[in-house]
């Protein structure tokens, strides 16, 4: 099937979508967003500079129509979410978002009810639009680069006034092998530094639940879960996190979850490999010290 | 100015996975119903914007008569009225068409807010479809909104930080959660007053379904067996935990 990837220039995101595309075709085409070379080898390639998805809808839907693409792949992100709905309506194309598995004959899985159930759909017509949840497919290795045709958005509905990227000292959450995440149980913003110190000793990153983000203790970019980042570290420490299904949706592919929670009935213990029923304030400083000494 | 907020009544989204069950491939009807969480963030955002811009605020929903009692919470939070388009489809394209009927019925809507995702379907797609159907601008994951002359200035929360964006004309914005839009808890007096606010009901349409066939809905089995580490002595607990993590080669 003729497949088109639409993605920002990002090795891992494009890599994951190339892996997905193998289920549909040998060599997908790509519309890449951003500056720089497009990593990997594609049939045809187009490129927009820095762009706002709302301005791309008509250009992209024209390309899909002209080239008769059957499957359009994006990852779940502000780009994928910005384009999936409008493209679906513009092309009268069925769209399935947050896809976690793909089976033969255009059968796909996606979670519902905060990840408590999985719905399976058969897609009955093409073109179809799929957004793929991060970390469910191994990124393909991308060799070389592909030369692209530069494109301009034909619409300027939205103006990008400014863009800010948060400084992260240390490893980005999505790449970290160890993540120390805090929830509402942390109780106050100061104590997040305790998690920071522990993560630092483990060469890991700090994450947060929506509870902690809503309280303003951690930035929204640190939120892990269904509507935050999807992560798959070797070890995920959930500290003062109750383990709502929407939070667990972000750590489904983590290898080992360690729960530190003072409520022995907290749902997180149903997902954890190791559990410590305890006030985190008692255990985290000792844990950090022991890790430091063990190095 | 007239702000519309799209809100959906869903089965209790805080039911833990262990207690969750299905009937007819949907959440069991024994679960209590409530407004979706992001929809409440959108209502809160709308109410704050209403105060700053002296606008009126209408909550639009597609659902059943039984949903009205739960939608009234949004009115109690500060909306002026409710409009319900009646129907039961889960198809995003059908839902968007029905919401469009309500927007057209209102006629003078300047801005449409929605939740980032519904708390049952986890999709985040309905607002974008509706925007395209209305010829409006769609921006997902919006935190802050300001009205500047004839422009809307919004902050979009991205995976690495934020984008400040500006646009003119009708927009559909899906709202993400930030500390500033944690939903207010309506006062008892407001809850009573909300019962008297007008509700307009429209008959929905059931056409234009996406070419998707639903094959199955299943609850995945969870297999994790937690090894509890005795925490009576925190020093011992830490030692045991680190030993186990190294033995199993996790760190
Ligand atoms: C559509 C939708 C999407 C969502 N997306 C996300 C998402 O992406 N990510 C996310 O996280 N949530 C998400 N949520 C919210 C989710 O449902 C929960 O509300 C949220 O995860 C709760 O956060 P929490 O566990 O930090 O807080 P709580 O549920 O309040 O849990 C706090 C925990 O801390 C423990 N605790 C308290 N004090 C201590 C102490 N001193 N020591 C140890 N433990 C202590 C308590 O026992 C409790 O278990 C979403 C919800 C919806 C409806």
């Amino acid at each position: 099937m003729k497949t088109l990837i639409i993605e920002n220039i990002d090795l891992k995101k494009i890599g994951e979508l190339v892996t997905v595309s193998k289920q549909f075709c040998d060599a997908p085409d790509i519309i890449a967003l951003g500056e720089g070379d497009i990593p990997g080898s594609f049939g045809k390639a187009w490129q927009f500079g820095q762009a706002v998805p709302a301005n791309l809808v008509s250009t992209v839907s024209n390309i899909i129509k002209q080239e008769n693409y059957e499957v359009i792949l994006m990852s779940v992100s502000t780009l994928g979410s910005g384009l999936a709905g409008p493209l679906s309506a513009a092309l009268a194309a069925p769209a399935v978002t947050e896809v976690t598995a793909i089976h033969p004959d255009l059968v796909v899985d996606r979670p519902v009810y905060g990840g408590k159930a999985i719905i399976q759909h058969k897609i009955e017509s093409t073109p179809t639009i799929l957004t793929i949840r991060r970390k469910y497919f191994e990124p393909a290795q991308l060799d070389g680069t592909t030369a692209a045709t530069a494109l301009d958005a034909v619409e300027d509905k939205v103006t990008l006034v400014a863009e800010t990227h948060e400084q992260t000292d240390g490893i980005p959450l999505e790449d970290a092998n160890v993540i120390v995440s805090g929830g509402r149980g942390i109780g106050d913003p100061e104590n997040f530094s305790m998690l920071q110190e522990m993560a630092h000793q483990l060469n890991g990153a700090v994450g947060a639940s929506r509870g902690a983000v809503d309280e303003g203790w951690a930035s929204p970019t640190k939120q892990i879960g269904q509507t935050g980042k999807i992560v798959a570290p070797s070890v995920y420490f959930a500290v003062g996190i109750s383990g709502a299904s929407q939070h667990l949706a972000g750590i489904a592919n983590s290898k080992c979850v360690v729960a530190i929670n003072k409520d022995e009935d907290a749902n997180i213990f149903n997902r954890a490999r190791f559990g410590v029923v305890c006030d985190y304030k008692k255990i985290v400083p000792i844990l950090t010290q022991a890790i430091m000494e063990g190095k | 100015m007239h702000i519309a907020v799209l809100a959906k009544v869903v089965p209790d989204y805080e039911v833990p996975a262990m207690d969750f069950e299905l009937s007819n491939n949907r959440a069991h009807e024994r679960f209590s119903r409530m407004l979706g969480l992001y929809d409440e963030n959108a209502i809160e955002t709308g109410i704050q914007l209403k105060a700053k811009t002296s606008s009126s605020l209408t909550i639009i929903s597609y659902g059943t008569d039984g949903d009205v009692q739960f939608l009234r919470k949004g009115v109690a939070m500060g909306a002026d009225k409710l409009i319900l388009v009646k129907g039961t489809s889960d198809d995003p394209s059908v839902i968007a068409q029905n919401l469009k009927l309500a927007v057209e019925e209102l006629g003078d809507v300047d801005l449409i807010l929605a939740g980032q995702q519904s708390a049952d379907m986890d999709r985040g797609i309905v607002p974008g479809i509706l925007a395209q159907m209305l010829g409006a601008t769609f921006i997902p994951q919006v935190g802050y909104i300001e009205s500047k002359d004839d422009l809307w200035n919004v902050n979009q929360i991205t995976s690495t930080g934020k984008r400040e964006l500006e646009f003119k004309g009708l927009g559909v914005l899906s709202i993400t959660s930030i500390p500033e839009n944690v939903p207010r808890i309506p006062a008892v007096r407001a809850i009573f007053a909300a019962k008297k606010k007008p509700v307009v009901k429209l008959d929905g349409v059931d056409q234009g379904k996406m070419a998707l066939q639903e094959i199955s809905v299943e609850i995945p089995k969870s297999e994790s067996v937690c090894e509890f580490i005795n925490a009576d002595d925190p020093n011992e607990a830490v030692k045991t935990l680190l030993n186990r993590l190294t033995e199993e080669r996790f760190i």
Side-chain angles (χ1 to χ4, degrees), chain A residues 31 85 112 170 255-256 271 278:
Chain A
I31 296 179
V112 283
K255 290 201 187 70
C256 171
R271 170 64 181 84
C278 186

Side-chain angles (χ1 to χ4, degrees), chain B residues 9 33-35 64-75 82 84 191 194-195 199 201:
Chain B
V9 176
R33 292 178 68 77
M34 53 184 67
L35 277 177
T64 60
D65 288 315
D67 291 343
V68 170
Q69 54 177 312
F70 306 104
L71 291 164
R72 290 214 197 263
K73 179 181 180 191
V75 180
L82 259 178
L84 175 79
I191 294 172
K195 293 193 176 146
V199 183
K201 290 185 185 174

Side-chain angles (χ1 to χ4, degrees), chain A residues 93-207:
Chain A
V96 184
T97 56
E98 311 252 354
V99 169
T100 52
I102 294 179
H103 310 283
D105 302 324
L106 282 177
V107 171
V108 298
D109 292 355
R110 66 177 311 280
V112 283
Y113 298 116
K116 289 191 276 277
I118 304 288
I119 193 163
Q120 193 166 77
H121 284 296
K122 175 159 173 53
I123 296 164
E124 292 177 317
S125 82
T126 57
T128 181
I129 294 148
L130 304 179
T131 70
I132 310 293
R133 220 177 238 196
R134 297 290 319 276
K135 304 277 175 176
Y136 278 78
F137 296 88
E138 273 305 310
Q141 197 187 319
L142 302 174
D143 297 321
T145 56
T146 304
T149 309
L151 285 178
D152 283 320
V154 289
E155 293 179 291
D156 55 356
K157 286 180 153 182
V158 179
T159 313
L160 177 62
V161 181
E163 174 150 27
T164 43
H165 298 286
E166 256 162 40
Q167 288 300 95
T168 38
D169 28 278
I171 302 178
L173 261 179
E174 299 100 309
D175 301 335
N177 207 27
V178 177
I179 292 174
V180 184
S181 251
R184 196 169 264 132
I186 296 301
D188 81 81
E190 262 40 335
N191 287 349
F192 250 83
S193 61
M194 242 191 241
L195 306 185
Q196 196 78 52
E197 181 54 29
M198 179 173 152
H200 176 71
Q201 293 302 337
L202 287 161
N203 199 20
V206 173

Side-chain angles (χ1 to χ4, degrees), chain B residues 61-105:
Chain B
S61 190
Y62 168 72
T64 60
D65 288 315
D67 291 343
V68 170
Q69 54 177 312
F70 306 104
L71 291 164
R72 290 214 197 263
K73 179 181 180 191
V75 180
M77 285 169 71
D80 299 295
K81 63 174 196 270
L82 259 178
I83 174 162
L84 175 79
V85 188
K86 294 208 279 183
T88 55
S89 176
D90 276 329
D91 182 277
S93 172
V94 175
I95 296 172
Q97 285 193 47
N98 282 288
L99 295 169
K100 180 169 174 266
L101 290 179
V103 175
E104 286 165 353
E105 171 76 17

Side-chain angles (χ1 to χ4, degrees), chain A residues 183-184 209-210 223-227 240 242 246-247 261 279-280:
Chain A
R184 196 169 264 132
S209 71
R210 175 168 164 169
Q223 183 175 317
I224 288 172
Q226 179 184 321
T227 46
S242 61
Q246 297 89 350
H247 186 78
N261 196 304
D279 186 333
Y280 81 92

Side-chain angles (χ1 to χ4, degrees), chain A residues 97-98 110 113-114 116 118 120 122 124 159 161-162 164-166 210 226-227 229 271-273 275, chain B residues 13 15 27 38 41 117 120-123 159-160 162-164 166 211 213 215-216 218 224 227 229:
Chain A
T97 56
E98 311 252 354
R110 66 177 311 280
Y113 298 116
K116 289 191 276 277
I118 304 288
Q120 193 166 77
K122 175 159 173 53
E124 292 177 317
T159 313
V161 181
T164 43
H165 298 286
E166 256 162 40
R210 175 168 164 169
Q226 179 184 321
T227 46
K229 292 203 159 86
R271 170 64 181 84
R273 174 77 175 78
Chain B
Y13 49 82
V15 172
Y38 280 101
N41 292 123
Q117 285 189 354
D120 56 351
M121 289 293 128
D122 306 351
R123 279 184 303 219
S159 64
T160 56
K162 57 187 170 212
R163 278 182 156 191
E164 186 187 337
E166 260 171 14
Q213 186 198 331
I215 297 180
S216 64
E218 262 155 37
S224 175
E227 191 174 317
I229 290 166

Side-chain angles (χ1 to χ4, degrees), chain A residues 210, chain B residues 5-8 13 33-48 59 70 73-74 77 114-117 119 175-177 181-186:
Chain A
R210 175 168 164 169
Chain B
V5 184
L6 313 177
K8 183 183 190 188
Y13 49 82
R33 292 178 68 77
M34 53 184 67
L35 277 177
L37 184 55
Y38 280 101
D39 298 358
E40 288 195 5
N41 292 123
I43 295 170
E44 178 60 40
T45 306
I47 291 165
Q48 292 176 19
I59 293 181
F70 306 104
K73 179 181 180 191
M77 285 169 71
Q116 171 171 343
Q117 285 189 354
I175 303 298
T176 193
S177 57
N181 68 18
V182 170
R184 68 191 63 192
I185 296 161

